[in-house]
């Protein structure tokens, strides 16, 4: 089924609904309605009652009109996936979908659901507000591709169900869940001085001075939140600290080991902590090394390396 859908409705960034990607079939109510029409035809024929036959043909004609109205109302919709943010394991990912009707005559309710699941959201086309937001929770780190999105409608009389299964060209990097067990920070000496080893210290040593406020990022410790500013309605801000003792170092994972996922979660927490403090730090994994740095781009590179790491 998935292979056939991939050929019929290939993934795209923007999708226009037309006859090549729309399916339509009588609903349960529609089959009951057809049964009624058939029963009226049998009764009218058996008793030679023209009024019953006329009623049966009228109801059948009404169903055919409903067929065309259902398709015309569903076709012509344009859907586009909005900007996605990377997330963490077991943390819901929000998928904003922008819907453009192009025509003012669209009406009825559109149901949104992930492929194979029950409807998660619904919007009225005659009172549309963008974007339509859906969520899904990833349970593994790495690159996450959302399943197909199912849109369905029973407009206008509920006799037919119009639906489609859409796939968007979208991927999200899922980071390990931050685990509040700081990873030992290592200060590497240069090999030109003949020293390989390191001085290990824990991340809480020394006195930290307040440096600045930055936008709060999901996964950062709550005790870094500037609650005074939040109470004033300025949103969630995170405090950055300038350390007086140790301001640089390395996070080193020597071997994968059996506790790999827990270690990666600890490293993820430490990356967020060090970034919040404004420290310069590097990340070394088996087969992967990110030079010391700081800032948003450096943090994203470290978290992505943790998300994509695979034990050899």
């Amino acid at each position: 089924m998935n292979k056939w859908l991939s050929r019929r409705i290939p993934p795209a960034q923007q999708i226009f609904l037309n006859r090549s990607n729309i399916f339509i079939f009588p609903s349960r109510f529609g089959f009951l309605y057809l049964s009624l029409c058939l029963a009226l035809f049998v009764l009218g024929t058996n008793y030679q009652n023209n009024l019953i036959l006329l009623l049966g043909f009228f109801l059948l004609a009404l169903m055919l009109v409903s067929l065309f109205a259902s398709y015309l109302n569903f076709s012509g919709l344009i859907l586009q996936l909005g900007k996605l943010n990377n997330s963490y394991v077991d943390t819901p990912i929000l998928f904003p979908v922008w819907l453009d009707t192009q025509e003012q005559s669209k009406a009825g309710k559109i149901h949104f659901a992930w492929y194979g699941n029950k409807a998660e959201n619904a919007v009225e086309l005659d009172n549309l507000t963008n974007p339509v937001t859906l969520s899904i929770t990833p349970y593994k780190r790495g690159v996450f591709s959302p399943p197909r999105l199912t849109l369905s409608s029973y407009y206008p009389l509920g006799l037919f169900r119009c639906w489609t299964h859409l796939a968007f060209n979208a991927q999200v990097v899922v980071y390990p869940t931050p685990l509040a067990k700081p990873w030992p920070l290592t200060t590497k000496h240069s090999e030109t001085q003949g020293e390989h080893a390191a001085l290990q210290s824990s991340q809480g040593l020394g006195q930290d001075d307040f440096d600045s406020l930055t936008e709060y990022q999901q996964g950062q410790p709550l005790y870094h939140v500037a609650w005074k500013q939040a109470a004033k309605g300025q949103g969630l801000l995170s405090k950055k600290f300038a350390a007086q003792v140790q301001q640089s170092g390395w996070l080193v994972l020597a071997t994968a080991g059996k506790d790999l996922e827990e270690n990666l979660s600890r490293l993820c927490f430490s990356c967020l902590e060090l970034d919040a403090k404004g420290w310069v730090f590097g990340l070394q994994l088996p087969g992967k090394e990110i030079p010391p740095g700081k800032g948003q781009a450096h943090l994203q590179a470290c978290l992505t390396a943790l998300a994509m790491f695979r034990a050899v």
Side-chain angles (χ1 to χ4, degrees):
M1 183 65 176
N2 288 329
K3 291 183 179 179
W4 180 80
L5 279 175
S6 297
R7 294 193 300 269
R8 178 72 182 269
I9 312 176
Q13 189 64 33
Q14 186 181 72
I15 300 174
F16 178 79
L17 296 187
N18 52 37
R19 65 177 182 272
S20 65
N21 51 28
I22 291 179
F23 309 97
I24 187 167
F25 202 68
S27 62
R28 291 181 180 179
F29 175 63
F31 278 111
L32 291 175
Y33 188 92
L34 275 176
S35 301
L36 174 63
C37 293
L38 180 60
L40 290 174
F41 176 77
V42 172
L43 286 173
T45 303
N46 188 44
Y47 292 102
Q48 297 183 355
N49 190 316
N50 291 333
L51 288 178
I52 296 179
L53 287 174
L54 182 62
L55 177 61
F57 291 143
F58 172 76
L59 293 178
L60 186 60
L62 184 63
M63 187 173 188
L64 292 176
V65 172
S66 176
L67 170 66
F68 288 103
S70 181
Y71 170 78
L72 291 174
N73 187 71
F74 199 66
S75 64
L77 298 177
I78 300 176
L79 293 101
Q80 185 171 357
L81 191 63
K83 182 180 179 181
L84 302 178
N85 296 318
N86 296 333
S87 185
Y88 300 88
V89 175
D90 295 329
T91 301
I93 303 174
L94 298 181
F95 288 86
V97 179
W98 294 82
L99 186 62
D100 185 8
T101 60
Q102 283 195 328
E103 300 176 11
Q104 299 297 327
S105 59
K106 302 293 183 183
K109 185 177 290 187
I110 300 291
H111 301 271
F112 290 78
W114 297 114
Y115 181 65
N117 297 332
K118 294 182 180 179
E120 180 179 334
N121 207 340
V123 295
E124 294 283 352
L125 290 181
D126 46 5
N127 189 24
L128 181 62
T129 57
N130 275 314
V132 180
T133 304
L134 297 96
S135 65
I136 190 169
T137 303
Y139 298 103
K140 293 182 179 180
R141 60 182 175 84
V143 177
F144 177 79
S145 298
R148 286 184 174 268
L149 181 62
T150 299
L151 274 71
S152 59
S153 173
Y154 294 89
Y155 179 86
L157 300 177
L159 298 176
F160 289 92
R161 177 178 182 253
C162 262
W163 78 95
T164 185
H165 302 298
L166 306 179
F168 291 101
N169 281 328
Q171 289 183 332
V172 175
V173 178
V174 179
Y175 308 135
T177 302
L179 181 61
K181 293 173 63 176
W183 191 266
L185 192 65
T186 299
T187 303
K188 282 188 172 182
H189 295 287
S190 64
E191 295 185 3
T192 57
Q193 296 175 340
E195 294 175 324
H196 221 13
L199 170 66
Q200 292 198 357
S201 62
S202 78
Q203 292 175 338
L205 293 179
Q207 301 293 326
D208 293 341
D209 287 340
F210 173 74
D211 181 51
S212 61
L213 290 174
T214 60
E215 184 178 353
Y216 177 76
Q217 291 186 356
Q218 190 176 23
Q220 289 182 336
L222 290 178
Y223 55 79
H224 280 168
V225 175
W227 295 111
K228 290 184 179 179
Q229 282 72 16
K232 295 178 181 178
Q234 299 179 10
L236 286 181
L237 299 174
S238 181
K239 297 179 181 178
K240 274 201 170 185
F241 298 90
Q244 293 179 345
V245 179
Q246 185 178 7
Q247 297 184 349
S248 64
W250 284 80
L251 296 172
V252 180
L253 179 65
T255 58
K258 62 179 181 179
D259 298 326
L260 175 62
E261 295 304 323
E262 178 181 343
N263 292 337
L264 292 176
S265 294
R266 292 176 60 191
L267 286 166
C268 180
F269 175 81
S270 295
C271 288
L272 294 169
E273 278 277 278
L274 295 174
D275 177 72
K277 293 181 178 180
W279 286 17
V280 176
F281 67 96
L283 177 66
Q284 182 177 338
L285 303 172
K288 178 74 173 181
E289 182 175 302
I290 298 178
K294 66 176 182 177
Q296 188 64 26
H298 178 70
L299 176 63
Q300 295 296 326
C302 293
L303 295 180
T304 301
L306 294 174
M308 303 301 296
F309 178 74
R310 292 290 181 268
V312 179

